[in-house]
Amino acid sequence: MLFKALSAAVYGIDANIIDVEVDFSGVKTTEDRFHTVGLPDAAVRESRDRVRAAIKNSGFDIPPTHITINLAPADIKKEGSGFDLPIAIGILGAYGALHLRDLSSFMLVGELGLDGSLRAVPGMLPVAVAARERGIRNLVIPAANAREAAVVEGVDVYPVTTLNQVRELLNSAANGGIHAQPCRVDTGELLAEQQSFHVDFADVRGQQTAKRALEVAAAGGHNILMIGPPGSGKTMLAKRLPTILAPLAFAEALETTKIHSVAGVLDGETGLVTQRPFRSPHHTISDAGLIGGGAVPRPGEVSLAHNGVLFLDELPEFPRNVLEVMRQPLEDGSVVIARAAMSLSFPARFMLAAAMNPCPCGYFNDKSRECLCTPPMIQRYVSKVSGPLLDRIDIHIEVPAVQYRELRSGAASESSANIRARVLAARAIQKQRFAKAASPTHSNAQMGTRQIRTFCELSADAEKLLERAMQQQGLTARAHDRILKVARTIADLEAAPAVTVAHIAEAIQYRTLDRSYWS
């Protein structure tokens, strides 16, 4: 007898609908013959043992017969333990243990324990989105995944904890309607509640220039590099950067949550990423860990930082090959990982915040401590960060050691809330500016060449100042464009319609490494 159920397989950050077809011969055999076809991986093939035990321990006796499980379409590789539940339900349906014979309005995903309990699986949000797009109304999943899937409107999410509970739910649908209540999540309330932070720029003493640079970076979505001795507050400043960024819109939250769901790092209690991510990988990370990879590619840190901040502390300590692979996502806002069987694209539009010491000992140009490094040592240290990568960082700012008087000062520092208000005002100007853009542009940092020419027109004096800086500092064309973008952001913070000499001058000051910092 043949019985069909619906499930889904996640590829990248999207899910494909999978038909789970179960057929048994009806002839008892002396040994158990349980075959799974349709390009299953090891986890799917092993499901036969979990499913057999779960069915038995749920009170059902399945005699030894020849059972064939087909996962269609057969040319797509299936992986993971999420097929346990639809396979078990398919077997029960094939043996007549279900009243409901047509499961076309239900999608089933979940891992089974040997006792028949259901465990969470990663990637449930893309599954819910796929169900909605396919017009599948009901999604039956483990209770631990329920809030994550329930953020998708147009799908009724039923959280279940055991195989028997799934059977009862399906049988109730056959006998006049589902009696269980679907999980509901108020996404608007959830986003509003989570906009609180445990850190604030008011905690930072001194460093007014660095705070201003971070404000400009946040207002325009610019990448920033902070250079300074140990203990000057670079990490402290970077950790407070998310507190002045614009809140996540629901569309951004949904896209970010999909990535975290696929990677298996989503908080099941919340079910939705409500704050802009802040990722800070250690410098021992591999290129696959940073960009993503694996036999079936998974998102890396640059994708987990999508719509948020990627902070790389001690930038020259990262292996050079790891840093170089960031050049494509910094330009394109996405990562493409190609394998023999598939090619997947992960979004990776993030703000890069990086920090580094000026030399191996950390005290080059420090007025309070002597640098012990020789020029060759400094050169080798600095050369670990390539010129093309530095060109992709809009703002380079020096963060000197904080003086004692500033540390002990009783004067209140400006709070994140005040800085954030100015950032939001500048972002509103940019949103209006790019509203009619042909390609999606959300901030000044994303402007293309044509947009720079249109929105960054200079007066004669500003043109002369920029030309002189280009000639004296030997700036590249990419650095030229980034100065104009930063200047446009500075003008937006002042609500100025045009880019002036003062804006260009400040933007040029944010190119520390172009001014022969180590000479």
Side-chain angles (χ1 to χ4, degrees):
M1 182 179 291
L2 179 66
F3 195 89
K4 296 182 180 180
L6 292 176
S7 190
V10 176
Y11 300 95
I13 61 169
D14 298 311
N16 289 346
I17 306 299
I18 302 297
D19 293 319
V20 180
E21 301 174 337
V22 179
D23 181 76
F24 79 100
S25 64
V27 179
K28 293 185 180 180
T29 61
T30 56
E31 60 182 30
D32 188 11
R33 296 180 181 178
F34 193 123
H35 298 285
T36 304
V37 297
L39 285 184
D41 73 345
V44 179
R45 288 194 299 270
E46 289 172 356
S47 67
R48 61 185 181 186
D49 298 319
R50 292 192 298 271
V51 169
R52 276 282 190 187
I55 291 176
K56 178 181 177 181
N57 292 321
S58 296
F60 301 97
D61 184 19
I62 303 298
T65 56
H66 191 160
I67 299 175
T68 302
I69 312 293
N70 180 41
L71 305 177
D75 60 341
I76 298 177
K77 188 173 179 60
K78 321 302 186 303
E79 66 159 6
S81 56
F83 295 104
D84 289 5
L85 179 59
I87 289 174
I89 290 297
I91 292 174
L92 291 178
Y95 277 94
L98 291 180
H99 300 159
L100 187 65
R101 307 303 299 172
D102 181 8
L103 298 187
S104 59
S105 63
F106 288 85
M107 181 181 289
L108 307 162
V109 182
E111 177 185 335
L112 283 172
L114 299 184
D115 59 352
S117 62
L118 278 167
R119 300 188 177 115
V121 295
M124 197 59 73
L125 181 58
V127 169
V129 173
R132 180 184 63 185
E133 293 174 349
R134 179 75 172 263
I136 301 171
R137 180 67 184 179
N138 306 302
L139 182 59
V140 182
I141 58 174
N145 289 124
R147 288 183 62 84
E148 170 189 348
V151 302
V152 179
E153 296 182 355
V155 178
D156 288 334
V157 177
Y158 294 98
V160 289
T161 56
T162 65
L163 179 59
N164 271 328
Q165 190 177 353
V166 178
R167 176 177 172 271
E168 292 171 3
L169 185 148
L170 296 177
N171 283 340
S172 69
N175 297 327
I178 302 174
H179 302 306
Q181 292 296 318
C183 179
R184 303 293 184 195
V185 173
D186 188 337
T187 54
E189 181 180 349
L190 193 61
L191 286 170
E193 287 178 353
Q194 298 299 320
Q195 296 306 315
S196 60
F197 299 91
H198 300 296
V199 295
D200 196 286
F201 268 100
D203 306 330
V204 182
R205 298 295 180 182
Q207 302 298 10
Q208 297 305 318
T209 302
K211 288 180 183 177
R212 169 64 176 177
L214 286 168
E215 178 182 340
V216 173
H222 303 289
N223 302 320
I224 184 170
L225 171 62
M226 295 175 283
I227 310 147
S232 58
K234 303 184 296 295
T235 303
M236 187 179 188
L237 287 162
K239 288 182 177 180
R240 283 152 180 76
L241 184 55
T243 67
I244 61 174
L245 297 177
L248 276 174
F250 177 69
E252 291 178 311
L254 198 63
E255 187 177 32
T256 305
T257 304
K258 287 174 69 175
I259 300 170
H260 286 235
S261 174
V262 169
V265 297
L266 182 65
D267 181 5
E269 293 295 324
T270 304
L272 185 71
V273 176
T274 56
Q275 293 183 351
R276 294 193 179 273
F278 180 85
R279 305 293 299 185
S280 180
H282 193 260
H283 58 75
T284 56
I285 192 172
S286 66
D287 51 358
L290 188 65
I291 296 299
V296 176
R298 287 286 184 264
E301 290 292 332
V302 296
S303 295
L304 292 171
H306 181 62
N307 289 324
V309 177
L310 177 67
F311 177 51
L312 302 184
D313 202 3
E314 305 294 345
L315 187 65
E317 299 298 334
F318 284 79
R320 180 156 183 162
N321 67 298
V322 173
L323 295 179
E324 291 305 299
V325 296
M326 279 202 309
R327 285 158 60 173
Q328 183 221 349
L330 283 173
E331 284 293 316
D332 301 337
S334 63
V335 172
V336 178
I337 302 175
R339 294 291 182 267
M342 66 182 71
S343 179
L344 297 177
S345 176
F346 295 106
R349 191 168 296 282
F350 57 90
M351 271 187 65
L352 173 63
M356 62 179 287
N357 296 330
C359 65
C361 77
Y363 296 104
F364 181 80
N365 271 352
D366 193 311
K367 297 179 181 179
S368 60
R369 297 189 63 170
E370 181 183 359
C371 175
L372 303 177
C373 303
T374 62
M377 291 171 61
I378 296 176
Q379 182 60 36
R380 282 195 301 271
Y381 180 76
V382 175
S383 64
K384 293 180 181 179
V385 184
S386 69
L389 179 61
L390 290 176
D391 262 354
R392 288 168 169 80
I393 300 177
D394 304 358
I395 297 175
H396 315 151
I397 188 70
E398 184 178 3
V399 184
V402 182
Q403 299 300 313
Y404 177 80
R405 290 184 179 180
E406 291 178 321
L407 280 175
R408 301 298 299 166
S409 172
S413 299
E414 190 173 23
S415 69
S416 293
N418 291 342
I419 301 173
R420 192 185 204 187
R422 295 194 295 269
V423 169
L424 291 178
R427 285 283 183 148
I429 293 173
Q430 294 167 50
K431 183 177 180 180
Q432 183 178 4
R433 175 183 299 134
F434 303 127
K436 298 181 180 179
S439 58
T441 304
H442 305 288
S443 64
N444 288 335
Q446 299 174 11
M447 283 194 294
T449 304
R450 292 184 181 179
Q451 291 172 318
I452 292 174
R453 291 174 181 170
T454 302
F455 301 121
C456 302
E457 293 184 355
L458 302 179
S459 65
D461 291 340
E463 195 76 57
K464 290 179 181 178
L465 176 61
L466 181 57
E467 182 182 4
R468 187 162 62 250
M470 291 283 294
Q471 293 174 348
Q472 292 178 354
Q473 300 179 22
L475 301 179
T476 64
R478 185 178 280 118
H480 163 271
D481 289 350
R482 297 194 181 280
I483 288 174
L484 289 176
K485 292 178 183 180
V486 172
R488 179 66 264 176
T489 300
I490 296 169
D492 290 341
L493 284 168
E494 299 177 1
V499 177
T500 66
V501 172
H503 303 146
I504 290 291
E506 183 177 352
I508 292 172
Q509 292 304 307
Y510 293 144
R511 301 293 299 181
T512 296
L513 299 187
D514 295 329
R515 300 199 304 270
S516 302
Y517 176 78
W518 282 277
S519 62

